[in-house]
């Protein structure tokens, strides 16, 4: 590269040019002094080893990339891998288009002024000050690398230790001012010029801070700064933590071996266990996994085992459908279960794991329904529905997971097998003989018989939420809600694989807990509750119980109102939801009750807390407002505080109120405890 001769006039107003060779010569000649300068200005909190390496990095990175103007250098050419930030921090000079001038070395201390040394010294100083402003060590990629050793200067005496402690209490500019005075023998004017060129905002404050350092008695600060304590080129070496190095070495060796094994497994040829359809490529060869996903190893219950089985749940269901011997279909279903590809639509109820089976699952159904091929599988804890359009030749594929642990005869009566155009088909349990359909919103209507195919699949049934009709600009009207009657059980579709069981009654007591929906009172309670079931959609609900716990005569001859607590319990045991409903007199027996409160995760209205207290504001026909409250049979008195105040003996309360009033309700229990209202 062509180089030009540089001239230096460091004390005048003109600028000097420093070429790369001149800067390199200055670094080589004055390397120990430059490293010492950087070491003294760098933050002492870095630690001695890192501080030593950073000082060497600063001196080595002081070499510019090309010919540089001494007055215009800002450090920007140090490169992206500099030890400190690369942002320029210099202040513009008052001169026309020029930066601050570089001060020269004092003539009495040096016979010849070395412009190259002054230039690289400024770059080292600027880098050290930037590191001090960062409050942490320089960037790691720029440091020289030393493995297995700790390097630090030779220890000095008490005076050196005292001076090092004093310097550590100064700011970066303060240390720089002290070092330029003591090590470089610069006067205050020259120190101010160097600090200003290095980007220090207030050099005078830096000098004043340096004046606060008290020299140890009987010593000279310059001599102390040149002692071995502050010499990063004369070092002592000690090993790092040998035990930790050995542990890290073993861990690295184990990780490398594991990486090689994984790479070898990924590189093995072959197409897996058979055409997997939409499944992702196989990622491991494990004998247990191969057995679990082998369609020939699927477990199947005999057709009549449910009659003598001690557990009447999904494990006693026989394999049904016209494709139970279709091995390619079953292979695809198992492969997609274990490794769903990107095109597969995967869904799972809350709290349900979607991983592969731990062993060969049980086949419940395999066949074609409504132009969709469906496979139902059960692994003892989960139900899995695999559905594909076509015959595995690129059509849409979906897999759905649902929890079914602790299932019993009451909760394993049916499964949703398909949903099409607002209609649902169910696969019923083998003990179901005469299913029927009931509209919950119309309690007076009789149940309609439902045809059942030989393989246990029902005719299409209107989905529960299909009865919600939304008019323009208003909330949806609930015209109907379909439930499936299977023997004495009543179930309904809440958008999941397992339909939710519907029950009625108090959660505990002499009656033994909730029972199946039977009788006029139970059907009437569900007629007002059915249209609130969308609030429980897709929550992993196992059962929903409606409990009419109180009836109250309304003020001003308003008739009788019912208080109903609806509790939804989930398969996972957590996330139960409680709805407080108030039902005033209505001409339509299917008019939905008003939800006045709801709570998630509350034990109210359940076996752990079979009691409840609710309240609501009600407007009479004359336009007057009342605060109404009702509690379960355990409540002996009710009190209201807030905008409405009052107390009533017994479990019912009615107080005059205003629209928008807020009140806090509490009740006294027969056991002496207190009960707050459901919120």
């Amino acid at each position: 590269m062509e180089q030009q001769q540089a001239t230096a006039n460091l004390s005048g107003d003109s600028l000097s040019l420093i070429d790369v060779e001149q800067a390199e010569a200055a670094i080589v000649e004055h390397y120990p002094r430059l490293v010492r300068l950087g070491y003294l200005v760098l933050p002492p909190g870095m630690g001695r080893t890192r501080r030593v390496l950073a000082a060497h990095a600063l001196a080595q990175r002081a070499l510019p990339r090309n010919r540089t103007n001494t007055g215009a250098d800002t450090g920007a050419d140090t490169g992206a891998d500099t030890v400190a930030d690369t942002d320029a921090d210099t202040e513009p000079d008052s001169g026309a288009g020029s930066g601050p001038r570089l001060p020269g070395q004092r003539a009495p201390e040096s016979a010849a002024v070395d412009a190259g040394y002054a230039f690289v010294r400024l770059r080292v100083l600027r880098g050290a000050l930037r590191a001090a402003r960062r409050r942490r060590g320089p960037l790691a990629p720029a440091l020289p690398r030393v493995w297995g050793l700790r390097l630090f200067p030779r220890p000095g005496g008490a005076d050196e230790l005292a001076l090092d402690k004093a310097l550590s209490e100064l700011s970066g500019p303060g240390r720089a001012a002290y070092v330029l005075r003591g090590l470089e023998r610069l006067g205050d004017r020259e120190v101010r010029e160097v600090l200003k060129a290095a980007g220090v905002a207030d050099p005078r404050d830096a000098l004043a801070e340096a004046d606060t350092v008290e020299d140890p008695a009987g010593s000279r600060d310059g001599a102390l700064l040149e002692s071995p304590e502050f010499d990063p080129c004369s070092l002592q070496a000690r090993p790092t933590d040998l035990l930790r190095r050995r542990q890290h070495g073993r861990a690295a060796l184990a990780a490398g071996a594991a990486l090689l094994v994984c790479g070898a497994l990924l590189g093995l040829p072959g197409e897996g266990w058979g055409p997997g359809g939409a499944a992702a490529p196989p990622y491991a060869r494990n004998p247990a996994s191969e057995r679990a996903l082998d369609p020939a190893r699927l477990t199947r219950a005999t057709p009549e085992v449910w009659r003598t089985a001690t557990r009447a749940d999904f494990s006693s269901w026989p394999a049904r459908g016209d494709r139970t011997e279709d091995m390619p279909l079953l292979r695809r279903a198992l492969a997609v279960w274990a490794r769903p590809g990107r095109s597969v639509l995967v869904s799972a109820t809350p709290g349900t794991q979607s991983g592969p089976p731990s062993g060969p699952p049980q086949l419940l159904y395999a066949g074609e329904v409504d132009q969709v091929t469906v496979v139902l599988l059960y692994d003892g804890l989960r139900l899995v529905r695999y559905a594909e359009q076509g015959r595995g030749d690129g059509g849409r594929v979906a897999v759905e997971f649902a929890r079914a642990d602790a299932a019993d005869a009451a909760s394993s009566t049916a499964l949703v097998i398909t949903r099409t155009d607002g209609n649902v088909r169910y696969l019923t349990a083998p003990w179901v003989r005469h299913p029927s359909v009931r509209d919950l919103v119309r309690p007076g209507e009789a149940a309609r018989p439902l045809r059942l195919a030989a393989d246990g699949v029902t005719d299409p049934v209107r989905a529960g939420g299909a009865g919600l009709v939304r008019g323009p600009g208003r909330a949806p009207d609930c015209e109907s809600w379909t439930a499936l009657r299977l023997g004495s059980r009543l179930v309904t579709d809440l958008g999941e694989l397992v339909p939710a069981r519907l029950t009625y009654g108090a959660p505990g007591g002499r009656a033994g807990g909730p029972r199946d929906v039977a009788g006029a009172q139970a059907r009437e309670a569900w007629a007002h509750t059915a249209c609130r079931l969308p609030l429980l959609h897709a929550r992993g609900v196992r059962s929903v119980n409606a409990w009419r716990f109180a009836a109250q005569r309304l003020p001003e001859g308003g008739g009788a109102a019912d208080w109903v607590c609806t509790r939804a319990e989930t398969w996972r045991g957590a996330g139960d939801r409680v709805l407080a409903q108030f039902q005033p007199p209505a001409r339509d027996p299917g008019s939905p009750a008003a939800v006045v409160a709801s709570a998630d995760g509350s034990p109210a209205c359940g076996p752990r807390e079979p009691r409840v207290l609710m309240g609501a504001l009600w407007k009479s026909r004359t336009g007057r407002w009342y605060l109404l409250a009702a509690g379960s049979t355990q409540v002996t008195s009710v009190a209201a505080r807030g905008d409405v105040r009052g107390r009533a003996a017994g479990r019912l309360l009615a107080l005059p109120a205003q629209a928008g009033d807020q009140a806090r309700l509490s009740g006294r229990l027969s056991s002496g405890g207190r009960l707050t209202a459901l919120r």
Side-chain angles (χ1 to χ4, degrees):
M1 180 177 65
E2 180 181 357
Q3 301 287 344
Q4 297 183 4
Q5 182 67 32
T7 60
N9 185 1
L10 302 179
S11 59
D13 294 334
S14 62
L15 301 177
S16 300
L17 295 178
I18 303 297
D19 58 33
V20 178
E21 293 179 353
Q22 185 178 358
E24 181 185 19
I27 293 175
V28 173
E29 181 181 357
H30 302 285
Y31 186 80
R33 195 173 193 86
L34 292 171
V35 175
R36 185 187 293 264
L37 173 67
Y39 181 83
L40 288 167
V41 179
L42 282 169
M46 296 171 57
R48 289 192 296 175
T49 298
R50 188 170 176 82
R51 190 175 166 195
V52 165
L53 298 177
H56 283 272
L58 289 173
Q60 295 171 16
R61 301 302 298 175
L63 182 68
R65 295 184 177 180
N66 47 40
R67 187 179 57 187
T68 306
N69 196 331
T70 60
D73 172 60
T74 63
D77 58 344
T78 59
D81 56 348
T82 182
V83 297
D85 294 339
T86 56
D87 299 332
D89 292 301
T90 57
E91 299 178 357
D93 193 21
S94 58
S98 65
R101 292 183 294 108
L102 285 181
Q105 294 173 297
R106 297 184 64 183
E109 300 293 337
S110 178
V113 176
D114 188 348
Y117 172 73
F119 172 74
V120 295
R121 179 184 64 189
L122 177 63
R123 290 173 66 88
V124 170
L125 184 64
R126 183 182 288 120
L129 290 174
R130 285 174 181 161
R133 285 196 298 271
R134 289 169 59 91
R135 295 293 182 185
R136 61 181 185 269
L139 299 179
L143 297 180
R145 294 298 182 183
V146 178
W147 298 97
L149 290 176
R150 292 185 295 111
L151 303 177
F152 46 88
R154 297 180 179 277
D159 293 343
E160 286 84 352
L161 292 176
L163 179 59
D164 186 56
K165 183 178 183 301
L167 291 178
S168 67
E169 297 175 355
L170 300 181
S171 64
R175 284 193 302 273
Y178 186 89
V179 173
L180 290 175
R181 273 178 171 174
L183 186 65
E184 295 295 303
R185 305 291 195 271
L186 297 182
D188 287 356
R189 183 178 64 83
E190 289 87 352
V191 170
R192 288 196 299 270
E193 291 181 359
V194 172
L195 293 179
K196 184 177 181 181
V200 176
D202 196 339
R204 294 184 182 274
D205 284 352
L207 282 170
E209 189 178 1
D211 290 337
T212 62
V213 178
E214 297 182 0
D215 297 334
S219 65
R220 295 187 306 114
D221 55 352
L224 288 179
L225 292 177
E226 294 176 354
S227 70
E229 170 75 17
F230 306 113
D231 185 6
C233 293
S234 178
L235 302 171
Q236 288 184 326
R238 294 292 185 272
T240 56
D241 192 330
L242 298 178
L243 183 58
R244 181 176 297 179
R245 282 169 52 188
R246 178 178 297 175
Q247 294 172 346
H248 289 178
R250 291 174 179 174
L253 183 60
L259 184 61
L260 290 176
V261 171
C262 293
L265 290 176
L266 291 174
L268 288 177
E271 297 180 353
W273 306 295
Y283 51 84
R285 293 285 191 178
N286 182 276
S289 299
E290 291 185 14
R291 288 192 296 270
L293 303 182
D294 185 355
R297 294 178 178 268
L298 286 172
T299 61
R300 303 166 189 248
T302 59
E304 301 298 325
V305 71
W306 61 271
R307 298 182 183 274
T308 57
T310 57
R311 292 177 50 190
D313 57 9
F314 296 110
S315 64
S316 61
W317 283 28
R320 289 172 287 180
D322 57 0
R323 304 279 295 275
T324 56
E325 302 300 328
D326 189 341
M327 291 301 160
L329 169 63
L330 300 179
R331 189 184 303 275
R332 290 195 300 272
L334 291 169
V336 171
W337 177 355
R339 309 182 311 275
R342 295 183 179 179
S343 62
V344 178
L345 178 61
V346 181
S347 60
T349 58
T352 305
Q353 300 297 324
S354 58
S358 58
Q362 179 182 347
L363 177 62
L364 302 182
Y365 184 88
E368 189 169 339
V369 184
D370 294 333
Q371 299 181 349
V372 177
T373 303
V374 178
V375 178
L376 288 175
L377 300 165
Y378 175 61
D379 68 352
L381 298 175
R382 298 169 297 172
L383 288 160
V384 180
R385 182 170 69 100
Y386 169 84
E388 67 178 24
Q389 290 182 339
R391 292 183 175 269
D393 53 0
R396 297 178 59 186
V397 175
V399 60
E400 181 178 356
F401 297 86
R403 286 187 66 160
D405 47 326
D408 53 16
S411 56
S412 57
T413 54
L415 293 175
V416 173
I417 196 167
T418 60
R419 290 188 182 89
T420 306
D421 299 329
N423 295 320
V424 180
R425 287 184 187 265
Y426 295 90
L427 176 67
T428 61
W431 53 83
V432 173
R433 285 291 178 262
H434 304 288
S436 59
V437 178
R438 177 176 290 279
D439 189 350
L440 296 179
V441 178
R442 294 173 173 83
E445 292 186 0
R448 304 185 307 273
L450 180 64
R451 193 180 73 86
L452 189 66
D455 59 359
V457 177
T458 67
D459 277 356
V461 178
R462 195 181 189 195
L468 296 178
V469 179
R470 184 180 296 276
R474 59 188 177 90
D477 292 332
C478 186
E479 295 183 347
S480 67
W481 192 280
T482 303
L484 194 64
R485 170 72 69 178
L486 304 172
S488 62
R489 320 292 187 195
L490 191 66
V491 300
T492 191
D493 176 30
L494 291 182
E496 297 171 336
L497 183 55
V498 184
R501 181 193 177 195
L502 306 181
T503 58
Y504 175 80
R510 297 179 181 178
R515 296 186 175 183
D516 293 320
V517 179
Q521 188 179 49
R523 288 195 293 269
E524 288 175 2
W526 267 108
H528 299 305
T529 304
C531 292
R532 301 307 181 190
L533 287 174
L535 299 175
L536 310 176
H537 192 269
R539 295 174 61 92
V541 174
R542 176 174 182 161
S543 63
V544 186
N545 181 59
W547 174 30
R548 178 181 174 271
F549 65 90
Q552 183 176 19
R553 300 297 301 181
L554 299 177
E556 302 183 15
D562 290 334
W563 293 88
V564 178
C565 184
T566 301
R567 179 180 178 84
E569 296 187 349
T570 65
W571 284 96
R572 63 188 182 277
D576 298 344
R577 191 165 200 184
V578 181
L579 303 178
Q581 298 176 95
F582 173 72
Q583 177 59 54
R587 294 181 179 179
D588 185 0
S591 60
V595 178
V596 297
S598 65
D600 291 333
S602 171
C605 304
R608 295 181 56 190
E609 192 174 306
R611 51 189 176 271
V612 67
L613 175 65
M614 301 180 184
L617 286 176
W618 174 76
K619 185 179 181 182
S620 69
R621 296 178 181 177
T622 62
R624 294 188 179 92
W625 286 89
Y626 291 88
L627 172 65
L628 306 177
S632 54
T633 56
Q634 302 93 331
V635 178
T636 59
S637 65
V638 182
R641 295 179 177 82
D643 297 337
V644 183
R645 292 178 175 271
R647 180 183 298 272
R651 59 193 184 107
L652 301 176
L653 173 72
L655 297 173
Q658 300 292 330
D661 280 352
Q662 300 288 330
R664 297 185 300 276
L665 297 173
S666 62
R668 178 73 64 178
L669 299 175
S670 57
S671 62
R674 296 184 62 83
L675 179 66
T676 58
L678 187 71
R679 301 181 64 86

